[in-house]
């Protein structure tokens, strides 16, 4: 089977090894002549980034780059990025990197033409209609990790630097016009990033599959996404140059983010405030929280995982799946408690308050209250 394809779901996607070379054609398709490449600090000087800038420059697109992006990007990063975008006379954004670079890049394109405070566009009700849609610049997304799936998302997560809350900013036009999914760009990821981002994709699929909302298309995508992670993350972790494994993990990441249109749940409700307050790696945090959340939701999700387990190659139905998840985490040296990542219970009130406000709560199979969120935090810390 050839792991190359042009897809149109959920947006135009150019998938396959070496396809970063098609960036100039993607820019033309999106109507960009002077794009700004937005990435994070860690990627800015790496060969894959410099090679991408060379491709841009050779095509007459310049080599504009903004990289002042934190691991959990904030409105401070956003305002600096918008300033760089305007100062450079750019007409679109190439969001390049993992979740932080992709999310911040999408928001620079979104916010450069807006006049209201960024928090006025939080994913609450119809707040997205407050935006001037015509002022949103085109976006091309180029993922360099296989986890968040932000390249196929219509939202970004931005941390409020004052309140230390993660906020979801949504608009339909934030969905990138073109995605270049080139698995060769992920081959340099270190083991702990491969594991953390891969388990982030797994968490997206697990929570989407668990969500009680009706969306059978997402349900099917979530199931196959779980299978791809189970089959290929161990291979990518063992050998970072395994291109087949890297490609299938890149697919799983996009599938997870597509599937969670159906909803997320308590894993992300816990993870978001932890990341905002303690600056932990998002995917790794999700992985630590998953076993406790599966047990918490057991009464509502056991039947569907009883059916799914056989397809996933796991014996013992839901109980077997629970055991598998902990063993899977352990195989990637994921901590069993958040305290091993520097998280402490002295911020419990802030963690609970952040979790109860998180939109992910709405997708959990069991209603989340402050009391049971506090108990979940006690279990995972």
């Amino acid at each position: 089977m050839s792991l190359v394809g042009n897809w149109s779901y959920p947006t135009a996607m150019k998938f396959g090894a070496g396809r970063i070379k098609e960036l100039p054609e993607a820019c033309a398709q999106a109507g960009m002549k002077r794009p700004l490449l937005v990435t994070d600090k860690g990627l800015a000087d790496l060969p894959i980034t410099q090679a991408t800038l060379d491709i841009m420059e050779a095509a007459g697109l310049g080599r504009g780059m903004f990289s002042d992006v934190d691991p959990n990007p904030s409105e401070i990063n956003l305002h600096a990025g918008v300033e760089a975008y305007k100062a450079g006379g750019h007409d679109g954004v190439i969001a390049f990197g993992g979740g932080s670079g992709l999310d911040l890049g999408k928001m620079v394109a979104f916010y450069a033409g807006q006049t209201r405070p960024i928090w006025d566009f939080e994913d609450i009700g119809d707040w997205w209609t407050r935006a001037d849609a015509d002022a949103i610049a085109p976006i091309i997304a180029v993922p360099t990790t296989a986890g968040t799936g932000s390249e196929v998302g219509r939202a970004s997560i931005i941390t409020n630097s004052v309140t230390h809350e993660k906020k979801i900013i949504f608009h339909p036009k934030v969905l990138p016009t073109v995605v270049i999914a080139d698995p060769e760009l992920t081959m340099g990821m270190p083991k702990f990033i491969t594991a953390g981002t891969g388990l982030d994709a797994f968490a997206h699929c697990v929570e989407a599959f668990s969500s009680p909302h009706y969306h059978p298309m997402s349900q099917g995508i979530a199931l196959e996404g779980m299978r791809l992670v189970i089959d290929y993350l161990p291979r990518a972790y063992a050998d970072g140059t395994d291109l087949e494994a890297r490609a299938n993990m890149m697919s799983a990441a996009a599938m997870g983010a597509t599937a969670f249109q159906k909803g997320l749940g308590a894993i992300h409700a816990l993870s978001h405030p932890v990341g905002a307050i303690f600056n932990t790696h998002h995917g790794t945090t999700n992985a630590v929280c998953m076993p406790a959340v599966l047990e918490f939701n057991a009464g509502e999700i056991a039947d569907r995982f009883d059916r799914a387990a056989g397809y996933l190659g796991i014996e013992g139905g839901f109980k077997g799946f629970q055991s598998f998840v902990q063993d899977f985490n352990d195989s990637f040296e994921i901590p069993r408690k958040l305290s091993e990542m520097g998280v402490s219970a002295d911020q419990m009130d802030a963690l609970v308050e952040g979790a109860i406000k998180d939109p992910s709560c709405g997708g959990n199979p069991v209603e989340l209250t402050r009391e049971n969120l506090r108990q979940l935090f006690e279990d995972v810390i």
Side-chain angles (χ1 to χ4, degrees), residues 164-186:
H164 301 290
E165 294 176 307
K166 287 194 174 187
K167 300 289 188 179
I168 298 174
I169 311 298
F170 166 86
H171 195 281
K173 287 188 70 173
V174 170
L175 180 68
T177 302
V178 183
V179 175
I180 295 180
D182 183 343
E184 288 185 348
L185 300 180
T186 70

Side-chain angles (χ1 to χ4, degrees), residues 77-249:
N77 301 145
L78 175 59
H79 292 149
V82 167
E83 184 177 342
Y85 180 89
K86 292 179 176 178
H90 298 288
D91 60 359
V93 169
I94 298 169
F96 186 94
S100 56
L102 295 174
D103 275 8
L104 202 282
K106 287 158 57 179
M107 281 298 98
V108 169
F110 168 77
Y111 195 56
Q114 308 303 322
T115 58
R116 301 177 66 138
I118 187 62
W119 312 124
D120 281 4
F121 307 109
E122 187 178 354
D123 188 18
I124 297 174
D126 64 353
W127 284 17
W128 64 272
T129 62
R130 297 170 170 177
D132 180 354
D134 293 334
I136 301 173
I139 303 164
I140 292 171
V142 183
T144 64
T145 65
T148 70
S150 184
E151 66 273 13
V152 295
R154 299 170 295 168
S156 292
I157 297 176
I158 302 296
T159 299
N160 185 316
S161 65
V162 176
T163 65
H164 301 290
E165 294 176 307
K166 287 194 174 187
K167 300 289 188 179
I168 298 174
I169 311 298
F170 166 86
H171 195 281
K173 287 188 70 173
V174 170
L175 180 68
T177 302
V178 183
V179 175
I180 295 180
D182 183 343
E184 288 185 348
L185 300 180
T186 70
M187 291 175 68
M189 280 194 295
K191 281 181 176 290
F192 78 96
I193 296 294
T194 296
T197 54
L199 291 170
D200 190 22
F202 190 60
H204 292 159
C205 293
V206 169
E207 288 215 285
F209 193 76
S210 301
S211 170
H213 302 313
Y214 180 71
H215 198 321
M217 290 178 286
S218 286
Q219 196 76 347
I221 292 169
L223 179 60
E224 177 65 1
M226 284 190 279
R227 186 192 69 81
L228 290 179
V229 176
I230 289 168
D231 287 354
Y232 290 102
L233 182 55
R235 283 176 50 178
Y237 183 77
D239 178 5
T241 66
D242 184 338
L243 189 58
E244 181 184 21
R246 291 295 196 188
N248 278 289
M249 284 305 303

Side-chain angles (χ1 to χ4, degrees), residues 1-2 31 41 84 92 113 115 126 145-146 157 169 235 242 286 293 319 327 345 350 352 364-365 377:
M1 179 174 61
S2 174
K41 299 169 185 175
T115 58
D126 64 353
T145 65
I157 297 176
I169 311 298
R235 283 176 50 178
D242 184 338
N286 281 341
V293 173
K319 287 295 184 183
D327 292 343
V352 171
N364 201 67
F377 275 121

Side-chain angles (χ1 to χ4, degrees), residues 267-350:
I267 294 173
H268 279 76
L270 298 175
S271 181
H272 285 155
V274 168
I277 295 171
F278 293 98
N279 207 32
T280 57
H281 183 269
H282 175 67
T284 306
T285 308
N286 281 341
V288 176
C289 295
M290 190 180 299
V293 173
L294 287 171
E295 180 60 30
F296 174 75
N297 287 330
E300 297 295 326
I301 65 175
D303 287 349
R304 73 189 68 177
F305 278 95
D306 282 341
R307 295 191 300 271
Y311 179 75
L312 298 174
I314 296 170
E315 296 181 356
F318 175 65
K319 287 295 184 183
F321 182 80
Q322 284 184 287
S323 297
F324 169 82
V325 166
Q326 187 59 68
D327 292 343
F328 204 49
N329 279 356
D330 292 345
S331 73
F332 304 117
E333 301 182 9
I334 299 298
R336 289 202 170 198
K337 295 290 183 180
L338 293 177
S339 56
E340 298 175 53
M341 300 170 63
V343 178
S344 61
D346 60 3
Q347 294 288 329
M348 181 65 77
D349 289 344

Side-chain angles (χ1 to χ4, degrees), residues 1-63:
M1 179 174 61
S2 174
L3 299 180
V4 176
N6 293 327
W7 308 330
S8 57
Y9 181 72
T11 189
M13 299 186 68
K14 301 176 184 290
F15 186 97
R19 300 197 70 176
I20 189 61
K21 295 176 183 176
E22 299 176 37
L23 183 58
E25 290 87 343
C27 287
Q29 183 177 342
M32 298 183 194
K33 295 182 179 179
R34 190 175 176 81
L36 176 67
L37 186 144
V38 177
T39 192
D40 63 64
K41 299 169 185 175
L43 275 173
D45 296 325
L46 292 186
I48 57 171
T49 311
Q50 294 303 310
T52 301
L53 291 170
D54 290 344
I55 291 170
M56 291 167 54
E57 187 174 39
L61 298 168
R63 53 188 305 123

